[in-house]
Amino acid sequence: MAKTIAAISTPPGTGGIAVIRISGDDAVSIADKVFTGSVRLCDVKSHTVHYGYVHDGSGRKTDEVLVTVMRAPKTFTREDVVEISTHGGMTASRETLDAIILAGADIAEPGEFTKRAFLNGRIDLSQAEAVIDIINSTNTLAKNNALSQLEGTLSAEIKKIRGKLVQLASQMQVIIDYPDEDLEDVTTDDIHAICLDCLNDTKKLLSTADNGILLRDGIKTAIVGKPNVGKSSLLNLLSRTNRAIVTDIAGTTRDVIEEHVNLDGIPLILADTAGIHPTDDLVEKIGIEKSLQSIDDANLVIIVLDGSSVPDDDDMHIIKKTMHKSRIILINKTDILKGKYTEQIRSAANGSPVIEISALSGSGADELKNAIREIYNIGEISAQSGAVITNLRHKKALHKAQEALENAVGCISSGMPADIASIDINAAIEAFGEITGETVSDLIIDNIFHSFCVGK
Ligand code: GDP
């Protein structure tokens, strides 16, 4: 029998309410020991809410509370669950939790409620990971992808592919075990076709991974350019705050400022960097070093040029230096002068989008958003009803599966015996199972749940 666990499930700090969750066979009886109201909780119907007080060991009231009683199996953990809502802040909730621990519950480990939901079969591993992704999501797109994963979109896709392979593997096992019998209900062509089909499905899932992971975590975007071209003004325009200090003394942005921005659903982690230009100023030099580093680290580079003055060697140096990156070139200050240098920049841009903008008036901002959408296929991903891979662990498992299936297809194509291909097919089955948690080690499971917060 699993021990009954309890934890505060709301974040620390002041707030309207705090919720303490208790889960396990003794959840209701433990809650009854600390609760006084007009009912005994062991007598109430499931999924009902009750008003009363919690008392500590000495009979002193810890708080006025509402208690929700939810009996197994229709609960988050599939065990009996009691949730006690106390007033917010640390004191009332902490004292109430202490009373519950004294009454016999154990303190829950990080992620233990969700782990129980997984171990009790209510959700699979990818769905459990979706719970943490919903909590940690910084933008609607990431949250929607996580919600869809929690609803089982990815699990269903994986189970479909894995199911086909499991059936194939068992049919092949019969041929391998009884080679002399005339049992061949699966031909080499069948094996080849099924493996190829599964391989294509795997590739399709993998094709969503790079952008899916980026969109979950945010696109690291470095805003680079010479001093005074309008980088801070652009950051302000995009974040609609005055977080970066805007001045017209060249070289005032000496450190890298990072800002999480949700640009109409596009999650950007913007880094406004020190202006890149030759300098003898030591502090500025350090800032410029950091700018160059942030170009290396960035997923996307936004180069800002001052469109009101002729492009010089420093501008061209930045354009050259970022040639290998995903980038967008902005010609700023087009409210002063428009179009004069655009063609010249375009011919140096090597096909990267070049957009005329005014960080001051906001003109061109929509074109910038559209260019980012296009680079990261955001329209396609948000319209997609199928699974999107947003988790590096899933991506790695899919890569393993892809490799195994490619080997299987190769074996069959080159006329090798079925038992060789069946080794690869079993490897693919195992890799798919890692995603849903069927074939994953306890150590990995523990690691995943330990990254959760306490109370989840
Ligand atoms: P940074 O050094 O690249 O971060 O440049 P800032 O954002 O500090 O801007 C330098 C100066 O250019 C400030 O005086 C801004 O008001 C001005 N500026 C920035 N963007 C524009 C723009 O689009 N149009 C005009 N007219 N001025 C701008």
Side-chain angles (χ1 to χ4, degrees):
M1 194 176 83
K3 60 191 169 54
T4 295
I5 51 170
I8 302 171
S9 284
T10 38
T14 48
I17 58 165
V19 176
I20 294 143
R21 191 185 254 163
I22 315 171
S23 178
D25 289 348
D26 298 331
V28 181
S29 63
I30 288 172
D32 245 341
K33 281 191 200 164
V34 299
F35 175 77
T36 45
S38 57
V39 291
R40 276 167 47 84
L41 299 173
C42 58
D43 298 330
V44 302
K45 276 196 192 153
S46 186
H47 292 77
T48 53
V49 184
H50 305 278
Y51 170 82
Y53 286 86
V54 167
H55 293 84
D56 66 13
S58 61
R60 195 176 51 88
K61 286 175 184 168
T62 66
D63 201 9
E64 180 191 30
V65 296
L66 282 178
V67 178
T68 311
V69 175
M70 293 166 279
R71 292 182 196 280
K74 287 194 172 170
T75 66
F76 183 65
T77 55
R78 277 209 176 153
E79 301 171 337
D80 282 354
V81 171
V82 175
E83 285 182 1
I84 302 181
S85 304
T86 66
H87 288 99
M90 285 311 290
T91 316
S93 57
R94 192 79 243 171
E95 287 180 5
T96 302
L97 178 65
D98 289 346
I100 292 163
I101 301 299
L102 200 68
D106 284 0
I107 197 92
E109 287 174 19
E112 196 172 358
F113 294 102
T114 316
K115 185 176 180 181
R116 287 187 176 197
F118 165 65
L119 292 176
N120 293 329
R122 193 177 77 77
I123 51 176
D124 70 23
L125 198 56
S126 74
Q127 290 172 304
E129 288 170 304
V131 172
I132 196 76
D133 284 349
I134 292 176
I135 294 170
N136 291 341
S137 63
T138 56
N139 64 82
T140 306
L141 197 58
K143 190 266 300 165
N144 286 348
N145 281 337
L147 192 59
S148 153
Q149 189 173 315
L150 177 63
E151 285 167 344
T153 316
L154 175 63
S155 313
E157 192 69 24
I158 298 295
K159 278 180 188 148
K160 191 185 83 189
I161 308 174
R162 189 168 185 265
K164 281 190 218 169
L165 291 172
V166 168
Q167 196 190 357
L168 177 65
S170 56
Q171 285 172 315
M172 287 169 71
Q173 198 57 45
V174 175
I175 307 174
I176 294 162
D177 290 347
Y178 306 101
D180 302 328
E181 310 266 333
D182 194 16
L183 288 166
E184 201 157 321
D185 61 346
V186 56
T187 64
T188 315
D189 283 351
D190 292 338
I191 300 171
H192 188 262
I194 293 168
C195 287
L196 204 57
D197 187 33
C198 292
L199 179 60
N200 287 336
D201 287 348
T202 309
K203 282 183 176 165
K204 205 171 132 209
L205 275 176
L206 265 173
S207 72
T208 65
D210 287 341
N211 290 345
I213 291 168
L214 264 188
L215 294 179
R216 183 187 75 161
D217 298 340
I219 303 165
K220 274 197 203 166
T221 307
I223 303 176
V224 298
K226 285 187 310 189
N228 246 8
V229 291
K231 298 181 296 299
S232 306
S233 308
L234 177 74
L235 180 77
N236 286 350
L237 172 74
L238 297 181
S239 60
R240 291 200 187 86
T241 66
N242 287 316
R243 170 98 166 60
I245 305 153
V246 183
T247 67
D248 46 14
I249 309 159
T252 44
T253 310
R254 291 192 166 168
D255 214 331
V256 177
I257 296 173
E258 262 198 6
E259 180 125 358
H260 287 254
V261 173
N262 189 339
L263 199 64
D264 291 352
I266 313 170
L268 298 182
I269 305 169
L270 289 175
D272 175 21
T273 63
I276 299 170
H277 69 124
T279 177
D280 291 330
D281 181 315
L282 189 67
V283 181
E284 244 190 282
K285 266 191 176 158
I286 296 170
I288 291 169
E289 277 301 308
K290 284 193 180 167
S291 304
L292 295 173
Q293 181 66 43
S294 71
I295 292 178
D296 285 343
D297 294 346
N299 308 117
L300 175 68
V301 176
I302 297 181
I303 300 173
V304 185
L305 307 175
D306 183 342
S308 67
S309 60
V310 59
D312 62 14
D313 289 350
D314 289 346
D315 293 317
M316 290 307 163
H317 175 69
I318 296 167
I319 292 177
K320 232 186 200 157
K321 176 125 188 85
T322 52
M323 204 66 93
H324 57 288
K325 303 285 298 189
S326 281
R327 64 174 185 182
I328 295 168
I329 301 174
L330 299 182
I331 302 182
N332 190 33
K333 307 195 187 180
T334 49
D335 52 304
I336 303 176
L337 183 63
K338 196 175 158 104
K340 186 158 182 203
Y341 307 112
T342 306
E343 275 323 303
Q344 185 187 343
I345 298 301
R346 229 170 234 140
S347 59
N350 200 27
S352 303
V354 175
I355 296 165
E356 294 179 335
I357 194 167
S358 165
L360 219 54
S361 76
S363 79
D366 285 342
E367 285 84 343
L368 170 61
K369 285 178 210 165
N370 288 339
I372 301 174
R373 277 209 181 88
E374 216 158 283
I375 292 175
Y376 293 99
N377 259 335
I378 290 175
E380 210 172 286
I381 286 189
S382 47
Q384 181 147 343
S385 56
V388 175
I389 302 299
T390 57
N391 183 311
L392 199 58
R393 192 183 75 79
H394 302 169
K395 184 184 168 186
K396 284 183 182 163
L398 284 173
H399 264 301
K400 263 199 251 174
Q402 177 181 339
E403 216 176 276
L405 288 170
E406 274 166 353
N407 288 343
V409 169
C411 277
I412 301 293
S413 305
S414 58
M416 287 192 203
D419 48 350
I420 305 284
S422 91
I423 296 171
D424 293 316
I425 292 168
N426 282 320
I429 292 172
E430 176 134 354
F432 286 120
E434 282 177 21
I435 297 174
T436 46
E438 275 132 317
T439 55
V440 80
S441 73
D442 287 350
L443 191 67
I444 289 177
I445 291 173
D446 285 347
N447 274 344
I448 290 171
F449 287 105
H450 268 283
S451 68
F452 281 42
C453 43
V454 173
K456 189 60 241 168

